[in-house]
Amino acid sequence: MPVKAVVWDIDDTIFDYARADTVGMHAHLTAEGLLERYESAERALERWRTLTEHHWARFGAGGITFEAQRRDRVRDFLDAPELSDADADAWFGRYVGHYESAWSLFPDTLPTLDALADGYRHAVLSNSALLVQDRKLRVLGVRDRFEAVLCAADLGVSKPAAEAFHAVCTALGLAPAEVAYVGDQPEIDARGARDAGLLGIWLDRAGSASEPPAGVHRIRRLRELPALLRSDTRFGAQSTFG
């Protein structure tokens, strides 16, 4: 059964989230006069990322709302458990302004979408919220490239649960075996997609020394994706992509 559609992760896959987060948070902390609370900007950013991972995991596990994980991140970062929801939202909103000013696609995103435009349908499955990701895609000028945009906060289930991957397959009207999923996380994205019956593809931009999960294909750059999709390697053919 040939692949008919490519489903995409967004952050750190087609959108350079890490750069935007770094540049945006540095500008925000400078504007807020908070850099002096930490030994360096790097330490402040490390703490923010650690808290982001922690509270995103709580959200992904279904124990907290999308809005609450944002507020808890702010409270923990500022060491201010008494901070009101309104003040936490306002602080995060000011950060978002700096973060959004640094938004950009990876250089290989548009060329790859162009190369695949005629042969494949496209959709998005993200562990964020539709309100956030739909706007991001519109600001970046690529929303019209995707038939559907599905997000965990709205689905009520997140990757790597098979239900999340099957939801996007249903939205496309395709069987899982007809869909490839591309994401930057080997377990949450690629293994999760594989376990759900999709073609799981790990976009390993950093060149990790780790082996990909069994049955998962690894690419280093998006420009490798068209050849991988043409190779049809799920059913015994040799893959040159690792």
Side-chain angles (χ1 to χ4, degrees), residues 27 39 78 82 96 111 124 133 141 143 159 161 224 242:
E39 295 179 11
L78 298 176
E82 76 287 349
V96 168
V124 162
Q133 299 295 54
R143 175 61 183 86
K159 301 176 293 181
E224 300 170 29

Side-chain angles (χ1 to χ4, degrees), residues 25 132 166 210:
M25 182 54 72
V132 174
H166 292 164
S210 301

Side-chain angles (χ1 to χ4, degrees), residues 202-211 218-221:
W202 174 25
L203 175 59
D204 178 21
R205 292 187 183 276
S208 171
S210 301
E211 289 296 316
R218 172 166 54 185
I219 57 176
R220 307 288 188 178
R221 296 291 182 269

Side-chain angles (χ1 to χ4, degrees), residues 85-139:
D85 287 354
D87 286 342
D89 289 344
W91 192 95
F92 195 90
R94 294 192 296 274
Y95 153 68
V96 168
H98 294 289
Y99 162 62
E100 289 187 357
S101 69
W103 280 3
S104 65
L105 297 168
F106 283 105
D108 56 2
T109 296
L110 288 178
T112 303
L113 288 172
D114 287 342
L116 298 174
D118 292 336
Y120 302 90
R121 299 164 63 190
H122 298 270
V124 162
L125 175 63
S126 166
N127 268 3
S128 183
L130 182 61
L131 180 68
V132 174
Q133 299 295 54
D134 186 82
R135 180 175 182 277
K136 184 183 293 177
L137 294 172
R138 292 183 189 280
V139 171

Side-chain angles (χ1 to χ4, degrees), residues 40-81:
S40 65
E42 289 72 22
R43 289 293 298 273
L45 292 167
E46 181 181 353
R47 175 170 170 77
W48 178 251
R49 291 197 184 101
T50 298
L51 290 170
T52 297
E53 292 176 4
H54 170 67
H55 290 294
W56 265 107
R58 294 173 62 215
F59 167 66
I64 190 172
T65 67
F66 181 77
E67 293 77 14
Q69 63 82 21
R70 281 185 166 184
R71 293 165 183 155
D72 286 350
R73 266 195 281 169
V74 173
R75 292 183 180 112
D76 286 353
F77 184 77
L78 298 176
D79 293 320

